Structures are given as C-alpha cells and as structure tokens.
C-alpha cells in the first residue's frame, strides 16, 4: 500500500561499486546477491537500464510481491529469453490466457492421478539401480547429474506426455544435441540484456534458431504419436498432453491453437524434468558429504521398506528422507530467482518502487536469511521437523515459488524425488570423485557445472 509521506532512498551500490557489482553478477550471481544483502540489507537497488532492479530478500517482501499484491507484478522482462523458446506456455504467459491454461491442466496433477504415476517413477528408478550394478563392480565413475536428468525426462515423457517408453531413447538423443545452443542463447540474453536480439544473424542466434526448429519437429512427433495412440485406445486419458489435445480438438470447448499446444509441451518438458533432476543430484551430493545423515536415511528405509520397492502409501512413514529432500531444496534450489516487473508504482518494506521496475526475489538468498535460518550454510534436515518448521515464516522457504504462480508440478516433483531417493538409496551409497570438483552454476536452473561424477558402492 503506497504511503503519502516521502520515502527514504533505497540503499545500493553506486558508481564504480555498481559497475563492479554487475560484473561480479555475471561471474557468480549468487555470491554477489548474498554479498549485496549482507552489505545493504533486505531491499537493494541497482540503478540499471532500461529499468532499475530491486533485490528483495525478506520473507515479508516475498509474501507481498508473490501473494498479497501479486496482481501488480507481471513476469516481464527477465522471462523474455525463456519465452523465446517456450512462447506463451504456462510458465511465461500472463492474464486470462495463463488462467485458462492453468485450469485446463490442473486435473492432471490431482492427488489420485499422482498416485497412478508412482509405478512408472519406481520403474524408472529401478532401471537406474539395475544399470549401476556394473559401475559398482568395476568402480567406474558415473555422471549422476546426467542420469538423474534422464530419469526425470523419462518420467515426464511417460506420465505427462503419454509417450511410448520405446520412443524415449530417440527423443532424449535429440534433446541432448540441442540442449547446449538453447541454453547458451537463453543465458546470454538473461545475463547481458544488450546481447544482439534474435533477429540479428549472429552465430549464437543462428544456432538457437536451428535448435528451436529441431525442437519443434520433435514436439510435432510427440504430439502425433499421442494423437494416434488416443485414437487407437479411445476412452478418457488424463495425462497433461491428453487434456491439452482434447482442448485442441475442441472436445472440451477451450479451442486451443496448435501453437499453444506446442508451447505447453515444451514448457512441461523444460520445467518438469530439469528441476527435479538437479534437486535429486544435489541431494546425492549432500548425502555423500554427510555420511551420518546418509546412514539415518538407510536405517529409515530398511525399517519401513525392508528391501521392497516404495509405494506412495509408504511415504508418510519416511519423514526423515523427506526432510533430507526439503533441506537439499533449501541449500540448492533448482530455481534460484523469481523475477517480476511492477505494473504500477508500489511501496515495498517502506521503499518506493517505480512502475516497470524489476524486482528480484532469490530463493538462494532468502533460504540463507540469517534471521530465519541459523547456520544457514549447514546441511541440517532437522530444520524441517514439524516443531522447527511450524513457527517459521511461510515465505522463508520458497523452492516452488509462492502465490498464484506457484509451481503446478510441486506435488508431482516431491512424489518423484521421494520415490526415486527411496528406491536408489536402498541399493547404493554414492561417493563424490575427488578429481571432479563440483561447482554450482546458474544456467536457467542451478546445476552442477561440470556434471556430478560419483562412484557407486554397495550398502555394506
Ligand atoms: C524440484 C522440482 C521443481 C522446482 C524446484 C520447481 C520450481 C518452480 C518455481 C519456483 C516456479 C514458479 C516460477 C515463478 O513464479 O516465476 C515453478 C513454476 C512452474 N513449474 Fe515447477 N518446479 C519443479 C518441478 C516441476 C515439475 C515436475 C513440473 C511439471 C510437472 C513443473 C512445472 C511448472 C510449471 C508449468 C510452472 C508454471 C506454473 C504457472 O505459472 O502457473 N515444475 N516451478
């Protein structure tokens, strides 16, 4: 609520310090965000062009922007690079279009529907267990980050897009080839707003356009295969792609275009696979560095499951492994920033925010806010016991965002990660290979920069 009295100037670096800060951000944005909060406080202004940027770290401000006054904030400028790939999919669209699409796919994420995904998730996790037998025997390191991505991609392909498991190898092969040029373009545009726009024929833009063309062809293939399978099977399929296709064919009355369908499929592949894969990878990484916590996970799994595959009904009886996942998502949130742009002037935490200003909420920073997280860099799953979690500010922990744009896939991701962790951790212990240092890198999501190379060990 804007106040009438004059508001104080917002603290932040100026002159050479600003230039230095922006340079640091391109090198290591997360460390620089943390430093700025420490030096200037919970609201920091960066006098950038074309609009100033405000870094907001306090959970009260998070609540205000994402929930209480969410209608004043659009996704805006910083989502444009992602929109160059995803068009007007659920993540990037706004207003009525977003509301309609969200209502349309919501039934695919209902609790009862989610439980039907469990068998596929466990099946894919057991394939990993099977595949790691050999590297365990030979001691050959494996790139766990890549294997987790393959796992979550297969799950999204099978349960959200209704893809035939036999086709997934080919789909994955195509995606692997185009991943780099897509990422390079989106990153360049996100970190350097002055980078040449897409219509300028630079080599990077050209590679991006070619990759998008290949992606479009792949999506057409996935859609055509699903259409054929639905025609053959008849009946009421309820996966995301089936719901979208029904809207496209006009059977649900929503009248969706083929272009919108393409945007949604690309959005679900992008948002649904990479995020959960990174979260699982960081969990393995943290467990490898905390053997006592790993042992507690093993004891819990042995006591509750006794060697059998987990089911969704087991998960409430595995609270410790659930807390481990929650704490990994706190320290390494796959989505590290939630940028928004102000539709109208506003007042946040006693400071004036002009129209069109960019406000940046960083999960990475808020999850380390010392007022809410003592010893913030320590991996302590006990932070998520009901006794510790209940009194905490609800917006101090936002790995899935908050408010109307909160992640639609949250329950699905939590189910998937819990079942995958329970299945794989029952069989193995993983150790980081010391010759392959692990460094976090922001490349749309927070990933281990050079992969996560680990050796596989039998439980004993
Ligand atoms: C650990 C895993 C995941 C994390 C950390 C995560 C994080 C997020 C966050 C922070 C947002 C909000 C973005 C914003 O407000 O600007 C979001 C939105 C979204 N996520 Fe997730 N996500 C995960 C898994 C998934 C999965 C598995 C799916 C698909 C099944 C998914 C699909 C989406 C979609 C479609 C949106 C846009 C929702 C909307 O605006 O209505 N996410 N996610």
């Amino acid at each position: 609520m804007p106040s009438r009295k004059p508001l104080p100037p917002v603290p932040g670096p100026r002159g050479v310090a600003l230039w230095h800060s922006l340079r640091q951000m391109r090198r290591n944005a997360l460390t620089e965000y943390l430093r700025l909060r420490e030096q200037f406080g919970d609201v920091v202004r960066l006098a950038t062009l074309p609009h100033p940027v405000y870094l907001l770290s306090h959970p009260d401000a998070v609540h205000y922007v994402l929930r209480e006054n969410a209608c004043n904030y659009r996704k805006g400028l910083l989502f444009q690079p992602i929109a160059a790939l995803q068009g007007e999919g659920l993540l990037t669209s706004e207003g009525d279009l977003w509301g309609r699409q969200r209502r349309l796919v919501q039934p695919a994420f209902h609790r009862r529907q989610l439980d039907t995904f469990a068998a596929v998730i466990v099946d894919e996790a057991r394939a990993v267990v099977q595949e790691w037998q050999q590297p365990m025997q030979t001691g050959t390191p494996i790139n766990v980050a890549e294997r987790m991505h393959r796992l979550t991609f297969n799950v999204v392909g099978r349960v959200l897009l209704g893809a035939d498991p036999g086709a997934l190898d080919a789909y994955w092969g195509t995606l692997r080839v185009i991943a780099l040029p897509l990422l390079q373009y989106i990153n360049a545009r996100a970190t350097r707003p002055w980078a040449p726009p897409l219509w300028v024929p630079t080599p990077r833009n050209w590679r991006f356009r070619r990759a998008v063309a290949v992606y479009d062809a792949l999506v057409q293939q996935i859609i055509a295969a699903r259409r054929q399978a639905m025609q053959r099977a008849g009946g009421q399929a309820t996966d995301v792609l089936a719901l979208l296709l029904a809207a496209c064919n006009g059977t649900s009355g929503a009248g969706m275009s083929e272009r919108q369908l393409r945007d949604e499929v690309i959005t679900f592949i992008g948002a649904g696979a990479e995020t959960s894969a990174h979260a699982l990878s960081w969990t393995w990484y943290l467990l490898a560095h905390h053997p006592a916590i790993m042992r507690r996970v093993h004891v819990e799994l042995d006591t509750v499951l006794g060697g059998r595959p987990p089911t969704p009904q087991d998960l409430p009886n595995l609270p410790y492994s659930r807390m481990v996942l929650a704490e990994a998502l706190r320290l390494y949130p796959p989505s590290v920033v939630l940028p928004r742009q102000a539709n109208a002037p506003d007042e946040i935490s006693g400071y004036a925010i002009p129209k069109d200003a960019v406000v940046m909420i960083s999960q990475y920073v808020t999850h380390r806010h010392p007022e809410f997280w003592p010893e913030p860099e320590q991996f302590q799953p006990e932070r998520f016991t009901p006794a510790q979690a209940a009194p905490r500010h609800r917006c101090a922990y936002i790995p899935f965002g908050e408010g109307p744009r909160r992640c639609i896939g949250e329950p699905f991701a939590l189910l998937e990660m819990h079942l995958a962790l329970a299945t794989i951790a029952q069989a193995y212990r993983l150790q980081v290979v010391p010759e392959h240092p692990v460094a976090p890198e922001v490349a749309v999501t927070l990933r281990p920069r050079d992969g996560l190379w680990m050796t596989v060990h039998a439980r004993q």
Side-chain angles (χ1 to χ4, degrees):
M1 174 77 64
S3 69
R4 292 207 189 105
K5 61 181 187 320
L7 297 172
V10 186
R14 282 160 220 276
V16 179
L18 173 64
W19 178 81
H20 182 71
S21 186
L22 295 175
R23 211 168 62 125
Q24 282 301 106
M25 258 180 218
R26 281 196 293 282
R27 289 187 184 149
N28 188 341
L30 300 178
T31 315
E32 185 56 14
Y33 290 161
L34 285 175
R35 192 194 69 75
L36 286 170
R37 198 209 68 80
E38 211 173 316
Q39 183 179 353
F40 296 105
D42 285 332
V43 184
V44 181
R45 179 174 188 269
L46 301 166
T48 48
L49 292 172
H51 305 290
V53 172
Y54 294 78
L55 303 178
L56 308 176
S57 304
H58 197 280
D60 284 345
V62 173
H63 184 266
Y64 181 73
V65 170
L66 296 183
R67 178 172 271 270
E68 198 180 325
N69 200 24
C71 58
N72 189 43
Y73 293 90
R74 63 186 185 278
K75 292 243 168 163
L77 203 63
L78 293 192
F79 271 91
Q80 281 174 8
I82 297 181
L85 173 65
Q86 296 184 357
E88 293 193 291
L90 199 54
L91 184 67
T92 45
S93 56
E94 310 268 4
D96 291 346
L97 172 64
W98 165 76
R100 197 186 68 200
Q101 294 298 107
R102 178 118 184 173
R103 283 191 297 278
L104 186 66
V105 295
Q106 193 72 60
F109 295 95
H110 281 163
R111 185 78 258 166
R112 242 178 305 134
Q113 178 76 6
L114 289 184
D115 283 356
T116 67
F117 299 165
V120 172
I121 297 168
V122 172
D123 184 48
E124 289 294 336
R126 291 180 80 178
V128 174
V129 171
Q130 185 74 25
E131 199 180 298
W132 284 356
Q133 282 281 333
Q134 207 192 0
M136 182 193 73
Q137 280 153 11
T138 56
T140 316
I142 43 171
N143 186 350
V144 170
E146 174 153 345
R147 191 59 186 89
M148 290 300 109
H149 198 175
R150 181 68 207 267
L151 186 163
T152 56
F153 170 76
N154 283 358
V155 171
V156 166
R158 288 174 67 180
V159 304
L160 296 188
L161 306 179
D164 173 17
L168 292 171
D169 275 351
Y171 295 165
W172 177 252
T174 307
L175 277 179
R176 276 191 70 173
V177 175
I178 57 175
L180 192 64
L182 293 177
L183 203 64
Q184 280 173 340
Y185 171 82
I186 293 173
N187 263 350
R189 296 287 304 163
T191 53
R192 296 172 182 78
W194 60 87
L198 199 50
W199 55 266
V200 181
T202 63
R204 185 192 291 131
N205 288 354
W206 184 79
R207 285 195 297 272
F208 177 76
R209 281 169 175 283
R210 266 188 63 97
V212 172
V214 173
Y215 210 160
D216 283 346
L218 173 67
V219 169
Q220 291 315 320
Q221 205 184 330
I222 293 173
I223 292 171
R226 189 75 192 107
R227 271 206 171 106
Q228 272 178 10
M230 281 171 67
Q231 272 160 11
R232 273 198 309 273
Q236 286 284 312
T238 48
D239 57 273
V240 169
L241 186 47
L243 293 174
L244 293 168
L245 279 171
C248 226
N249 299 338
T251 46
S252 74
M256 194 176 34
S257 70
E258 289 287 330
R259 175 71 202 185
Q260 187 68 38
L261 180 61
R262 169 260 181 223
D263 291 350
E264 298 299 1
V265 171
I266 292 193
T267 297
F268 275 99
I269 295 176
E274 206 173 298
T275 44
S276 316
H278 296 329
L280 276 169
S281 298
W282 290 118
T283 304
W284 294 120
Y285 172 76
L286 287 162
L287 285 174
H289 282 94
H290 298 84
I293 295 177
M294 180 81 251
R295 272 195 295 280
R296 273 194 70 179
V297 170
H298 284 150
V299 169
E300 180 178 87
L301 294 175
D302 292 348
T303 313
V304 176
L305 302 175
R308 68 174 168 77
T311 66
Q313 291 68 39
D314 291 317
L315 299 183
N317 301 323
L318 299 171
Y320 190 71
S321 19
R322 173 72 187 81
M323 291 192 291
V324 163
L325 289 166
E327 177 68 342
L329 281 167
R330 181 186 72 83
L331 277 173
Y332 294 102
S335 151
V336 280
V337 283
L338 296 163
R340 295 290 191 269
Q341 230 181 325
N343 295 330
D346 201 356
E347 181 186 325
I348 301 179
S349 310
Y351 294 110
I353 305 292
K355 179 178 183 312
D356 290 326
V358 172
V359 297
M360 293 271 270
I361 290 161
S362 167
Q363 292 99 322
Y364 193 85
V365 178
T366 302
H367 288 180
R368 285 167 169 74
H369 200 300
E371 218 180 287
F372 303 91
W373 305 101
E375 300 183 288
E377 293 296 341
Q378 300 301 313
F379 180 55
Q380 295 171 358
E382 288 72 18
R383 297 180 203 272
F384 291 92
T385 55
Q388 285 200 41
R392 194 176 293 129
H393 195 305
R394 69 172 279 168
C395 288
Y397 184 65
I398 43 166
F400 294 98
E402 179 54 289
R405 303 301 298 253
R406 189 173 175 131
C407 178
I408 196 171
E410 175 177 352
F412 172 71
L414 293 174
L415 175 80
E416 178 182 38
M417 292 188 299
H418 209 170
L419 289 172
L421 176 70
T423 307
I424 300 170
Q426 277 198 94
Y428 300 122
R429 201 165 42 81
L430 302 180
Q431 272 179 4
V432 176
V433 178
E435 301 83 59
H436 288 280
V438 178
E441 177 192 43
V442 182
V444 184
T445 46
L446 183 65
R447 60 180 65 214
R449 193 185 58 210
D450 305 307
L452 174 59
W453 290 87
M454 302 183 96
T455 45
V456 183
H457 304 269
R459 282 277 311 283
Q460 293 311 312

